[in-house]
Amino acid sequence: MKTPFFQPPEPAPTATLAEFVAIFAVLLAAIVGLLVFDTALARVDLTERKAAAAREFRIGERLLAQGQIEQGTEHLRTASTLDGENPGYGVELAQAILAGGRPAEAEQILLPLIERNETDGPTTLAMARVVSNEGKLDQAKAYYPRAIYGLWPAGAEKNRTAASLELIDLLSVRNARQEPLAGRPPLPDGSTNDRARRPEDGASCGVAG
């Protein structure tokens, strides 16, 4: 019996260094391309969501101006959900909820905004009004000064005056006229305690006793 002729297996093909580098470059380019495409899609989505939030916010404000509190509140809620990075949406939502008679819910809306930025004037003023409405007057006495000295993107003097006047009313409700005068909140220059000269936003959101 003849022994079959033994043939050793052929060696496995090996890629040259140049081929390996070329394959790696193609894969790397594909990964980078996917990342760039994903980032572009994310930016488009963010832009669209911010635009949609702005539309919902305008609709909500218009409905509130027409006295449709519940409908306006829902549009503001949608705006705040679409663009949670805009604290103004949350503040307006909380104030609408407060106007609808739900101060506890409004407080829960404002708490994370306060934690995010404790010096924001609109947020601290809204919180002062909310906790005052809930009867938490000691907390309100702490929030009003933060609103007076806080940072305001616009209308600082008008809103600080409103906060000062509301705090004075709060102190008088608490029979605080016996407190040292130095402990009273300062009024911005040129302002008075004359109710006839109060800003509209301060007068429309009075402090509950």
Side-chain angles (χ1 to χ4, degrees):
M1 183 176 182
K2 295 183 178 179
T3 303
F5 179 73
F6 176 77
Q7 293 182 341
E10 296 181 358
T14 58
T16 65
L17 178 60
E19 291 173 335
F20 175 79
V21 170
I23 294 173
F24 179 78
V26 170
L27 291 176
L28 182 61
I31 293 172
V32 171
L34 289 174
L35 290 175
V36 171
F37 181 71
D38 185 64
T39 302
L41 286 179
R43 288 178 178 175
V44 170
D45 179 65
L46 178 61
T47 301
E48 291 179 349
R49 284 193 293 109
K50 285 183 175 294
R55 287 194 298 270
E56 291 292 325
F57 182 75
R58 289 193 295 268
I59 294 172
E61 282 195 317
R62 184 169 65 250
L63 290 172
L64 291 177
Q66 296 171 355
Q68 302 181 51
I69 303 298
E70 291 302 321
Q71 297 90 330
T73 298
E74 289 310 308
H75 283 279
L76 293 181
R77 193 187 305 276
T78 300
S80 181
T81 300
L82 289 172
D83 188 2
E85 296 301 316
N86 189 329
Y89 295 163
V91 170
E92 291 299 323
L93 172 60
Q95 294 186 134
I97 292 174
L98 177 62
R102 304 191 302 276
E105 182 182 346
E107 183 178 356
Q108 293 304 311
I109 296 290
L110 293 171
L111 280 174
L113 300 180
I114 292 285
E115 293 175 358
R116 188 187 308 173
N117 186 356
E118 296 181 352
T119 63
D120 184 67
T123 307
T124 51
L125 180 55
M127 180 63 90
R129 289 169 173 168
V130 166
V131 295
S132 177
N133 189 278
E134 292 181 286
K136 302 176 181 178
L137 302 188
D138 287 337
Q139 291 186 34
K141 285 171 62 177
Y143 278 114
Y144 272 116
R146 291 164 66 175
I148 295 169
Y149 296 107
L151 302 177
W152 290 85
E157 181 177 351
K158 176 181 178 181
N159 287 289
R160 285 171 177 160
T161 299
S164 296
L165 295 173
E166 290 177 25
L167 179 53
I168 289 174
D169 283 346
L170 177 65
L171 294 176
S172 62
V173 167
R174 292 291 303 272
N175 297 318
R177 295 192 182 281
Q178 300 301 319
E179 295 182 3
L181 186 61
R184 293 302 182 88
L187 290 174
D189 293 341
S191 62
T192 71
N193 195 21
D194 185 355
R195 288 180 178 271
R197 297 188 58 187
R198 293 189 182 186
E200 292 181 2
D201 58 347
S204 63
C205 297
V207 175

